[in-house]
Amino acid sequence: MEFAELIKIAKVENVQLSCPGLLPVKGTLCITSHHLLLSSQPGGNGEQGMVELWLLLRNIDAVEKRVASSSGSITLKCKDLKVLQLEIPGMEECLNISRSIEALSSVESVMMMYPFFYRPQSMKLKDGWQLYPLQHYYQQIATETTAWRLSCVNGEFTVCPSYPAAVIVPTAVDDNTLKKAARFHQGGRFPILSYYHKKNGTVLLRSSQPLIGPNRKRCPEDEQLLSAALNRGERGFIIDTRSAQAAKQARMMGGGTESKSSYPCWRRLHGPLERGRPLQESFIKLVEACNDTSLSMDRWLSKLESSKWLAHLKGALSTACLAAQCMEREEACVLVHGAEGTDTTLLVTALAQVILDPECRTLTGFQGLLEREWIKAGHPFHFRCARSAYSHARLKQEAPIFLLFLDCVWQLGRQFPFSLEFNEHLLLVLFEHTYASSYGTFLCNSEKERCLCEVKEKTHSLWSWLNQPSQQKKHLNPLYTYNALVIWPSVEPQSLQLWQDPLTLDIRPRFKQWGL
């Protein structure tokens, strides 16, 4: 495929851009393979100097057009929730621009996306990709205990296609046992170490659901693996992110959850969390409510409640607190899983670490957490972030589970303003880059896919850019003071607030401006 085939018109003069937070700008609109560019004539609007808009076409979620006999308008609704309107002279020009944007913004091939073409002069391709290796995290654990080892059983991604090549597992369990346990879990996601709590030596594990099925199948190797995670005489907790009813229904479909008889040292708890379509629909309703300026106060509050977004926040924080409480106060090991183990499971394990571990609340520690618990752990970013809240396309696998995590972290930062080294701006940048980015960090669904696409060899890392001194200072919290204590958030209704900035994001940072 050639990009030129998708561009019906490359340049149009006298196009006017309107968007919230900025005076209308008139100038020349250009379409390239990956960007929409609008450059104003100097002083063209009578007040401002030269203005340039560079918008990644991948960021466009929906294109809405209206045409008349001699002109037309196009409304661009972006995945990061910005809305832009273009007034275009000429009906034919309007239709051709609309067709070009729709075609270019929906290119599915990962290797045709902008990160594979982006080459800033100040950065090298290799920078940033090795900042947070699992081996380094394992070495930190190895200084505390010899009960865990780094296994390369998944070196060729044949045991579990969504796991990284190396995983941390009990020393007492060999690789053959791991392979057999993997066949007993959906997608091969057998239990592996997610976090080691240095304070008391407890561990946080994650996996996918066991394939118990209606006949209540057993797997001695899986039972051995979970037993090896516990010290003699210890008991652990299994936190299932589905309801008891949903777990029971999953057993009828070949899945299920661990039985008491087969795993006598583990007690099962449920912290049901929504994912998939219900979560995406909640996000859509939330954005619709925030964009409707005609609502009365009562109607606005009613629509906010009916979106259930704050209820999802409460559920995620409550389940993460449950996992943290089991480790910190009960001094027990915890295994978290739902069905696939790539969505709500990662949400809970990542949030629990922010709550428990002060290192995960530093700027570099938080980036390392994202690398371990979301990127390398196999969260399918390509599927989940294919569409945002405006798309008219039929929902497939989209779900804002990572945005929900960022919102939960924002709630923690608001309740504990001195305990997070990074600020809200970092969370907003991460939100934007998961949906559309110049960097390859959030591309693909797994490490296996990133290896096949040679992402680390052919794209730049977001971490390399974020850690440049000029960028890093934008993301630091000036109130930060190191806090070694666990931060227990309140999930009472009066304690949770709507995170407004993603919903009312100003367009101006996207502009290059001169003479303002």
Side-chain angles (χ1 to χ4, degrees), residues 33-36 53-63 76-84 101 104-107 113-114 385-391 428 431-438 505-507 510:
S33 55
H34 296 100
H35 285 92
L36 190 71
L53 163 73
W54 292 68
L55 178 68
L56 263 178
L57 290 166
R58 182 71 183 169
N59 191 19
I60 296 173
D61 204 32
V63 180
L76 302 177
K77 297 185 175 181
C78 301
K79 294 176 182 177
D80 60 9
L81 307 183
K82 299 181 182 74
V83 178
L84 296 79
I101 293 174
L104 291 165
S105 63
S106 58
V107 171
M113 293 178 184
Y114 186 57
C385 301
R387 299 292 176 193
S388 187
Y390 293 123
S391 175
L428 292 170
F431 163 55
E432 293 179 17
H433 282 269
T434 51
Y435 282 94
S437 180
S438 302
L505 211 53
D506 199 332
I507 189 68
R510 287 291 190 183

Side-chain angles (χ1 to χ4, degrees), residues 109-318:
S109 172
V110 170
M111 298 182 74
M112 299 299 286
M113 293 178 184
Y114 186 57
F116 284 90
F117 299 84
Y118 181 53
R119 293 293 181 269
Q121 294 182 351
S122 61
M123 297 170 61
K124 297 179 180 179
L125 281 173
K126 63 180 181 179
D127 291 347
W129 288 113
Q130 298 302 323
L131 282 177
Y132 309 108
L134 186 66
Q135 288 81 353
H136 176 68
Y137 184 65
Y138 168 70
Q139 289 300 326
Q140 294 177 344
I141 297 172
T143 61
E144 302 287 333
T145 177
T146 59
W148 298 87
R149 68 182 180 93
L150 194 66
S151 170
C152 294
V153 66
N154 198 43
E156 301 297 323
F157 305 106
T158 54
V159 176
C160 176
S162 63
Y163 270 172
V167 292
I168 302 174
V169 297
T171 304
V173 178
D174 61 33
D175 285 354
N176 285 331
T177 301
L178 297 177
K179 291 177 182 178
K180 292 178 181 178
R183 291 195 286 269
F184 187 63
H185 283 267
Q186 183 168 339
R189 294 177 69 91
F190 58 93
I192 61 172
L193 184 140
S194 171
Y195 169 65
Y196 180 83
H197 195 32
K198 295 180 181 179
K199 182 177 179 180
N200 55 25
T202 57
V203 294
L204 181 63
L205 310 172
R206 50 177 161 79
S207 71
S208 61
Q209 67 176 342
L211 301 178
I212 304 290
N215 296 325
R216 299 182 182 275
K217 289 188 293 186
R218 294 182 61 176
C219 175
E221 290 79 12
D222 189 60
E223 295 167 20
Q224 178 188 344
L225 173 55
L226 283 185
S227 294
L230 302 174
N231 292 324
R232 187 182 301 274
E234 282 187 342
R235 298 181 66 84
F237 291 93
I238 297 172
I239 298 179
D240 196 323
T241 60
R242 304 165 294 179
S243 66
Q245 182 63 27
K248 185 176 181 180
Q249 291 173 348
R251 187 163 61 82
M252 296 300 104
M253 302 296 292
T257 192
E258 294 80 359
S259 65
K260 294 179 182 179
S261 58
S262 301
Y263 301 85
C265 294
W266 293 85
R267 178 188 173 191
R268 190 170 70 246
L269 304 172
H270 291 274
L273 301 175
E274 291 285 8
R275 60 188 183 93
R277 184 183 292 271
L279 190 61
Q280 179 70 9
E281 290 175 348
S282 172
F283 181 39
I284 292 170
K285 289 179 180 178
L286 174 67
V287 173
E288 287 176 350
C290 292
N291 285 343
D292 191 344
T293 56
S294 66
L295 296 176
S296 65
M297 178 62 77
D298 288 345
R299 182 67 179 144
W300 149 248
L301 292 173
S302 176
K303 292 197 77 169
L304 176 61
E305 183 180 10
S306 66
S307 76
K308 299 183 180 179
W309 185 259
L310 294 179
H312 296 317
L313 280 175
K314 178 179 179 179
L317 286 168
S318 297

Side-chain angles (χ1 to χ4, degrees), residues 3 16 29 67 80 114 179 241 251 348 376 438 489 508:
F3 287 115
Q16 180 170 292
L29 182 73
V67 294
D80 60 9
Y114 186 57
K179 291 177 182 178
T241 60
R251 187 163 61 82
V348 172
K376 286 189 171 70
S438 302
R508 281 174 288 185

Side-chain angles (χ1 to χ4, degrees), residues 23 26 85 133 146 167 207 236 343 410 477 494:
L23 292 172
K26 181 175 282 189
Q85 184 161 320
T146 59
V167 292
S207 71
D343 292 294
W410 180 83
N477 173 15
Q494 61 269 30

Side-chain angles (χ1 to χ4, degrees), residues 90-101:
M91 181 183 69
E92 191 66 26
E93 287 84 351
C94 180
L95 292 173
N96 282 332
I97 288 174
S98 175
R99 293 181 188 124
S100 301
I101 293 174

